[in-house]
Amino acid sequence: MPHDFGLIRLATCDDAQAITQVHISSWQTTYWGIGIDEYIDNQSVDRRVEYWRNTLCNSQSQTFVYVAVVDGQVVGFAAGGPERSNDPEYKGELYALYLLKAYQRQGLGQKLVGAVMDHLLHSGIASMLIWVLAVNSARFFYERCGGQVVRWKDLNWGGKTFEELGYGWLDLRLPQ
């Protein structure tokens, strides 16, 4: 039976548990072996579910989340909203993009990024930034989506310092 890879929808409060499972599983497959394994192992599922429930159920939150659903299961998500550091050029931000490993490289990531871009545009925001660890080989995905490295900074995560790259899109109205 063929899979339905086309369902990208706005997340609801009921998606908090599934988003948490994707989030933690993706951390394990993406960041395992870069020196923060203990940090990843010690993530509290309950705290993460509470975080996503608060984000998704808070009508005042400016964060929005889209999920990718295959055969009724949430297999990925993208979160976005206003840029969080008052960047002078980029007014929107893709906060997170995670897909279960088995569903990567099948077009779902591009669909999720497109949903975030469309949402930002409909909110009157025409530029976007995302921060990605330089050690994350998936960062080249953002270049294929039209992003360019425009910022860099250090990030302390799990007691270690990592270089983060900011990929930017100055005009989301242009074809990507």
Side-chain angles (χ1 to χ4, degrees):
M1 184 165 148
H3 295 291
D4 173 15
F5 286 109
L7 183 57
I8 304 293
R9 65 167 172 77
L10 206 51
T12 68
C13 290
D14 294 337
D15 293 317
Q17 181 74 42
I19 288 171
T20 297
Q21 291 170 337
V22 169
H23 201 174
I24 290 175
S25 175
S26 295
W27 274 3
Q28 291 168 341
T29 58
T30 302
Y31 301 121
W32 205 264
I34 65 168
I36 57 169
D37 297 356
E38 185 177 336
Y39 175 84
I40 293 170
D41 286 343
N42 291 327
Q43 286 300 298
S44 164
V45 172
D46 291 340
R47 272 200 307 264
R48 199 67 9 215
V49 168
E50 188 63 25
Y51 168 82
W52 284 114
R53 189 169 286 122
N54 287 339
T55 298
L56 295 169
C57 301
N58 178 356
S59 62
Q60 304 302 311
S61 176
Q62 292 187 299
T63 299
F64 54 87
V65 180
Y66 283 87
V67 291
V69 180
V70 175
D71 298 332
Q73 176 190 358
V74 172
V75 299
F77 72 93
E83 198 280 328
R84 297 174 285 188
S85 68
N86 295 315
D87 190 276
E89 292 181 283
Y90 298 93
K91 302 305 175 193
E93 187 173 347
L94 177 58
Y95 303 145
L97 174 66
Y98 290 103
L99 283 164
L100 294 176
K101 191 166 186 70
Y103 295 92
Q104 294 174 5
R105 300 184 184 280
Q106 297 177 27
L108 290 172
Q110 281 187 307
K111 288 181 180 182
L112 286 165
V113 170
V116 169
M117 289 176 169
D118 288 346
H119 194 115
L120 289 170
L121 281 170
H122 284 98
S123 301
I125 298 173
S127 59
M128 183 177 81
L129 190 63
I130 182 170
W131 289 99
V132 184
L133 291 181
V135 297
N136 182 350
S137 61
R139 69 185 174 89
F140 299 107
F141 163 80
Y142 299 105
E143 293 176 17
R144 290 190 299 277
C145 290
Q148 297 180 359
V149 176
V150 295
R151 305 275 185 273
W152 45 90
K153 66 181 179 181
D154 286 337
L155 170 73
N156 187 325
W157 190 31
K160 300 222 182 260
T161 300
F162 296 93
E163 181 181 25
E164 250 189 330
L165 302 175
Y167 282 86
W169 291 258
L170 271 177
D171 193 344
L172 298 177
R173 296 167 294 199
L174 299 175
Q176 303 303 319

